[in-house]
């Protein structure tokens, strides 16, 4: 008896999601337009906004430039989390994927489809976690 394993086609391609998340981060944080439209929002925590002296701008820029993805901080390969150091302070960023028409109540059913997925990038001080 021979059993043929079939690839799961219902699972999204992590490299597609990673490329879309990277493009969205660069759009939101650096103003670099993506090759295709990507829906999303950026949020920063109050403590990051109140840090003063250009700290928030540095954190947003560093988030947009982040490229150090490793298995520890990116186990699914989606490029949806990172940590950066700004003036000795750790800043976390996270991208969550929602169904575009769900008012942020439901996770994206097809996270690799930018037409139906809304991205939310949150940037915060690690101590706020």
């Amino acid at each position: 008896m021979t059993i043929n394993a079939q690839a799961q086609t219902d699972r999204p391609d992590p490299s597609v999601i990673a490329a879309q998340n990277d493009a969205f981060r660069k759009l939101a944080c650096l103003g670099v337009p993506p090759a295709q439209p990507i829906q999303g929002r950026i949020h920063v925590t109050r403590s990051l906004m109140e840090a003063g002296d250009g700290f928030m701008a540095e954190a947003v820029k560093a988030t947009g430039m982040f490229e150090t993805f490793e298995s520890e901080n990116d186990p699914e390969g989606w490029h949806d989390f990172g940590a950066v150091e700004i003036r000795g302070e750790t800043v976390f960023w996270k991208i969550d994927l929602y169904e575009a028409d769900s008012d942020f109540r439901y996770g994206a059913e097809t996270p690799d489809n930018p037409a139906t997925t809304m991205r939310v990038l949150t940037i915060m001080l690690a101590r706020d976690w």
Side-chain angles (χ1 to χ4, degrees):
M1 178 176 178
T2 303
I3 298 175
N4 293 328
Q6 293 182 344
Q8 288 184 343
T9 58
D10 61 339
R11 296 199 58 159
D13 182 347
S15 65
V16 171
I17 296 170
Q20 292 171 358
N21 283 344
D22 289 344
F24 175 69
R25 240 179 346 99
K26 290 177 181 170
L27 170 64
C29 297
L30 304 174
V32 177
Q36 64 183 26
I38 298 178
Q39 304 177 77
R41 296 180 177 185
I42 182 172
H43 292 274
V44 297
T45 59
R46 179 175 304 275
S47 59
L48 188 61
M49 286 189 297
E50 293 174 346
D53 197 26
F55 187 89
M56 184 179 81
E58 287 180 50
V60 170
K61 183 177 179 182
T63 296
M65 296 176 67
F66 184 87
E67 294 183 0
T68 313
F69 294 100
E70 300 167 354
S71 60
E72 294 150 3
N73 68 4
D74 193 32
E76 293 179 336
W78 286 19
H79 292 193
D80 60 352
F81 175 83
V84 295
E85 291 290 322
I86 308 295
R87 303 181 200 171
E89 182 90 43
T90 301
V91 174
F92 289 156
W93 62 266
K94 172 78 173 109
I95 297 176
D96 293 299
L97 308 177
Y98 295 94
E99 198 60 26
D101 295 329
S102 74
D103 293 330
F104 308 102
R105 290 179 291 180
Y106 306 107
E109 289 186 32
T110 53
D112 54 348
N113 182 348
T116 61
T117 300
M118 174 69 74
R119 287 170 164 74
V120 176
L121 169 60
T122 303
I123 306 174
M124 70 185 79
L125 295 173
R127 60 185 150 105
D128 291 337
W129 187 264

